[in-house]
Amino acid sequence: MISDVLASAKEKMTQSIEVAKDDFQTVSAGRANPALFQRLNVDYYGSPTPLVQLASFQQPEARTLIITPFDKSALKEIERAIVAAPHLGVTPNNDGTIVRITMPELTEERRKDYVKIVKDKAEQARVAVRNVRRQAMTDLEKLKGEVGDDEIARAEKDLEAATKQAVDGIDEALKKKEAELLEV
């Protein structure tokens, strides 16, 4: 029973780290990257649809991205969604068949804004890990009558170690992304 609680908590913490890393990829570092558009929703026939389901992406140059919609009638909506996305800061060029995006050079001020965004995403991931720990601690408390106190204390130590490891993993990913953003 204790091992089930610990295994579940560790799995959820690992998922939190992966989600944080995916979130970090959605922040621009001055290079065009299809991952920037991973979470971008387009109003397609009245329903929000992920852009990755509506178009293909090509990257002919480091700072240029070409978005080719599968349905040409969605071109205007795709363009509107890209302009409305606050984390991109780009202006798309629509030539009637494709949308061309040139990523601007990042200014020092913009880089610092992106670092703030990434730090906020890292904090959200840390909070998610702590919530998993809190839930696992509650589950361990419920087992107190069935299992010995020594086993529960050992499990709590293991849980604390797993929590620290997960938070350290998030912090490591944050440092890498921060270095990437501040690199000129």
Side-chain angles (χ1 to χ4, degrees), residues 137 157 183:
M137 289 291 231
K157 273 187 177 176
E183 175 186 309

Side-chain angles (χ1 to χ4, degrees), residues 5-161:
V5 171
L6 288 176
S8 172
K10 287 178 182 177
E11 181 181 331
K12 288 177 183 174
M13 287 179 189
T14 303
Q15 289 173 348
S16 293
I17 293 171
E18 293 306 313
V19 167
K21 288 179 180 177
D22 286 347
D23 276 352
F24 292 168
Q25 286 183 345
T26 64
V27 178
S28 172
R31 292 183 287 278
N33 183 353
L36 294 172
F37 302 92
Q38 204 172 33
R39 302 237 164 110
L40 189 64
N41 285 327
V42 177
D43 186 33
Y44 185 62
Y45 290 112
S47 65
T49 308
L51 178 57
V52 294
Q53 293 179 7
L54 295 176
S56 65
F57 297 88
Q58 289 116 22
Q59 186 178 4
E61 300 169 18
R63 290 187 21 216
T64 304
L65 193 68
I66 294 176
I67 301 173
T68 309
F70 303 128
D71 179 8
K72 302 297 182 216
S73 66
L75 209 54
K76 283 282 186 214
E77 296 300 328
I78 290 172
E79 190 176 13
R80 199 170 296 139
I82 292 170
V83 169
H87 70 282
L88 293 176
V90 298
T91 305
N93 299 323
N94 176 355
D95 73 357
T97 56
I98 62 170
V99 175
R100 186 180 314 273
I101 297 172
T102 303
M103 300 302 288
E105 279 292 327
L106 294 180
T107 62
E108 190 65 28
E109 182 181 325
R110 191 71 174 148
R111 288 176 192 276
K112 288 180 181 176
D113 288 345
Y114 283 155
V115 168
K116 286 180 187 175
I117 291 170
V118 169
K119 284 183 177 179
D120 185 50
K121 290 177 183 285
E123 186 56 36
Q124 289 173 3
R126 286 189 209 106
V127 167
V129 167
R130 290 184 198 120
N131 287 340
V132 169
R133 183 191 78 207
R134 186 180 317 117
Q135 182 60 46
M137 289 291 231
T138 304
D139 293 345
L140 288 173
E141 288 295 320
K142 290 177 184 173
L143 295 174
K144 262 201 171 153
E146 304 169 28
V147 184
D149 288 346
D150 291 344
E151 291 179 38
I152 289 182
R154 198 173 309 116
E156 287 176 353
K157 273 187 177 176
D158 288 350
L159 186 61
E160 288 299 326

